Amino acid sequence: MTSIELSRLTDEWIWAYEDYDPRSERLREALCTLGNGYFATRGAAPEVTAGAAHYPGTYVAGCYNRLTSHVAGRDVENEDIVNLPNWLPLRFRIHPDDGPPGRWFSPDRERDGLLLYRQWLDLRQGTLHRALRFRDAHGRHLGVEQTRLVHMGDPHLAALRTTFTAEDWHGTVEVDSAIDGTVANNGVARYRDLAGAHLTKVRTGAAPDAADTVWLHCRTTRSAIHVALAARTRCRAGRRKPEQVLTKLAGRRAAQRLTVPIGPKKPVTVEKTVALHTSRDRAISGPLEAALERVRHAGDFNTLLGSHAAAWERLWRRADVEAPGEAGHILRLHLFHVLQTLSPHTADLDVGVPARGLHGEAYRGHVFWDELFVLPYLNLHFPEVSRALLTYRYRRLPQALRAARAIGRDGARFPWQSGSDGREETPEVHLNPRSGRWLPDHSRLQHHVGSAIAYNVWRYGQATGDTGFLHAEGAEMLVQIARFWADSAVFDDDLGRYRIKQVVGPDEYHEGYPDADRPGLDDNAYTNVTAAWVLARALELTRELPASRRDDLFARLDMRPGETELWDEVSRRLYVPFHRGVVSQFAGYGELAELDWEGLRARHGDIRRLDRILEAEGDSVNRYQASKQADVLMLGYLFTPAELGRLFGRLGYDLDEATWRRTVDYYLARTSHGSTLSGLVHAWVLARARHRDAWEQLQEALASDVADIQGGTTAEGIHLGAMAGTLDLLQRGLTGLEARDGVLWMDPAPLPELSEYGFSVRYRSDGGIQVRMKPGQLWVGVPPWEEEPVRVQLADGYVARDGAGPRDGVGFEVAPGENRLMPLRESTLS
Ligand code: BGC
């Protein structure tokens, strides 16, 4: 490695590992994944195959397949994102002129001789680098430098450049560059008993017109998606040519063997360029032809690197975040992975938000409610991507209508886990790895996912002013979700209120009442309050629609007389339970037993997954006041104190500040944070209540993936919700930023530990409005190309407010090309 590269390791744009550690290799593979929204490849070393320490994986967004497995005495069907043929393989061994040949290199076999092993991501230009130096058993030294990219400009291309340096010997280096189709979905130990062979009809070949190119073609077994990869391998060794180039096609592997002369001061560079297409792609005749043609026309590595880095530069201009220290470093890594999973290319695809990125196989690549933590961030940078992600839901609305009908209800019931066609993909059984038992999974009762979709539709409309979407697809989804809630609510004469029964809330530890013979809980406060919000928004939107649009929509959706009146009534009379002066997570929560938190911690250390711990001990978390993650407190994440106050007010409840604070404390003391979303939501809510606790929670959210705090889960895929959510925490959570009615509303709540940072948002036009927080100051800059001044409305101070919400604050305008610095009042929070 050159000295320039060494100095860059300390750069804030570099994410580096300084050694080889097989125990953390799978985690690093996930964190060093490269992707472009269309596909992603884990950061596995090119010479390894799947095994205990390594798991190469390549995933195309939305490429799913179903398989049937026999577990726990029954057949279960699962749909998975498919691990596609591995394009990385590039093995090498040395053949010195005056000694025995070396072995195929592997960092595991050669560990004793590894003199240097560094791996780093260059976040700015989107590349993964590796530099290693080793001495083999005969004392011969070889240096290897690698750079890898998954092209951000042309989403079907990837490339790997390897430079070999023989330090003290002459001879040849033999390189085996392959596409490996012997892959399966084996990335998650818990799924070991489930079928994983998704690919069939694997064929390989050599390009008819290019001696340096091989290809592999296959298809998924049931979804019948055809997949093709073409790999071109070329050697750049000055004027010297490889002594030999062989094409090796064997079984499910297509390879090229190059033997290249090498010696001290005569480094050899091998460039592998890969194209990937599937039959889901547009504007192609067939995936194999397309892949071959793409790779044939691809430039050399330097050319690709140039256009790739330029594409990244454009992305960073639309979405950078600048914060000091370790937090800033991690936030930039988060942004990097968010953009690799959901890039502008996503706008052209029919895909949703995969909870674990395109970085591994956990949760099978499924789409949950996590988009609730992702879209609000994207809205202010890549609204076209948000719209595509909402359109993924819209296209699956007919399935959601059928799912509601199947349980005898009106409207749309979106699935808790969604994949290719929008049917319910939540498994019926899941494995507790602690007890080895397969258990029923009732998380599909999390009907609140529909409210998350409605919320995203609404916020997208507000942030972008895209009435084209909001008044058409958006309105249709909102109405159908509202209908589901109106029809799910049952009037209870004794309470004089509507109730929604048999659901599961965001805290999925509670799936039913202790010893009950049916799953589900009644009156989940989060479900009910968000349902009331959806109903109120559906009313508002349908009232605002131009009359002809409304008539058209109502006729198309077969609206019955009295329906909107019912929405209004339910939105005002849904039941929200309280106990001991706090909002109850669900009816009866307050009567559950208290958990011996300290005792459990003393016995088990990490008790985040106390559902598994208790089940393994023959107990059940259903018996206790113990939550996995924020449930009631999610309300403080979605709504400002003012909005929440109004929502409860509409329902006829008085949620004063004291009640809310008691509620926050109550659940904070009873939450195990068994999801990475938990720290994030708590940080958000606590930022306006208690700084010290907020910072602690934020640190937990920041550590989620880089320190793999959920005990091994990051190796199976990053947590996209927590990653995007932490970015949004800076963008909206700590600034109170809201684009609404042509005004940028701000209500800052800076944390002392994170009081200086900046970002830009896309608002009204392409240009970035610059926002900078400094201790005691807020700075807003408007680019010169804006046509009109930007109006900012700053709430009066940032101390926690009463339920009535921000008092009238200061309004000001910033003209194009100008900026304003506003003093902020000191916080009295500690
Ligand atoms: C969380 C869910 C989340 C899912 C996927 C679970 O552990 O409890 O809220 O949607 O992971 O990220």
Side-chain angles (χ1 to χ4, degrees), residues 240-359:
R240 283 160 302 128
K241 288 251 177 310
E243 276 179 0
Q244 203 182 38
V245 181
L246 289 176
T247 298
K248 291 189 159 257
L249 306 174
R252 292 180 157 211
R253 198 169 187 275
Q256 219 132 26
R257 278 274 166 95
L258 277 64
T259 307
V260 195
I262 191 170
K265 304 207 183 83
K266 284 192 212 152
V268 166
T269 297
V270 174
E271 294 184 3
K272 180 175 187 180
T273 311
V274 176
L276 166 57
H277 272 281
T278 82
S279 50
R280 276 166 59 91
D281 298 343
R282 299 182 192 184
I284 60 167
S285 152
L288 181 56
E289 253 176 80
L292 284 169
E293 183 173 325
R294 201 133 206 142
V295 90
R296 186 182 321 124
H297 292 291
D300 64 9
F301 190 87
N302 267 340
T303 311
L304 290 177
L305 181 60
S307 49
H308 170 68
W312 265 106
E313 198 187 325
R314 289 192 292 277
L315 284 191
W316 289 121
R317 247 186 273 135
R318 281 173 73 178
D320 193 18
V321 57
E322 264 179 58
E326 198 186 5
H329 201 194
I330 296 173
L331 284 161
R332 192 162 275 149
L333 181 78
H334 285 184
L335 183 48
F336 180 69
H337 286 302
V338 170
L339 296 176
Q340 293 200 109
T341 311
L342 303 166
S343 82
H345 298 297
T346 311
D348 209 25
L349 304 175
D350 175 33
V351 299
V353 175
R356 305 300 286 275
L358 297 170
H359 297 58

Side-chain angles (χ1 to χ4, degrees), residues 178-235:
I179 311 170
D180 179 10
T182 65
V183 297
N185 278 50
N186 278 325
V188 179
R190 285 185 308 291
Y191 305 164
R192 200 176 294 131
D193 294 343
L194 304 171
H198 292 281
L199 298 175
T200 184
K201 305 262 186 282
V202 181
R203 291 183 296 126
T204 58
D209 52 355
D212 54 12
T213 302
V214 290
W215 56 263
L216 183 148
H217 183 273
C218 58
R219 75 166 173 77
T220 56
T221 57
R222 254 179 79 186
S223 51
I225 301 171
H226 291 249
V227 180
L229 292 107
R232 180 184 80 192
T233 308
R234 283 183 183 162
C235 174

Side-chain angles (χ1 to χ4, degrees), residues 354-356 363 366-371 373 416-417 446 448 505-509 609 628-630 674-677 710 718-722:
R356 305 300 286 275
Y363 287 133
H366 289 171
V367 177
F368 295 63
W369 73 324
D370 301 49
E371 61 205 52
F373 304 88
W416 173 239
Q417 296 189 26
Q446 291 190 67
H448 65 81
D507 153 38
E508 44 192 36
Y509 279 176
R609 292 309 303 262
K628 179 182 186 184
Q629 64 199 85
S675 157
T676 57
L677 297 172
Q710 298 286 341
I718 51 136
H719 297 82
L720 200 69

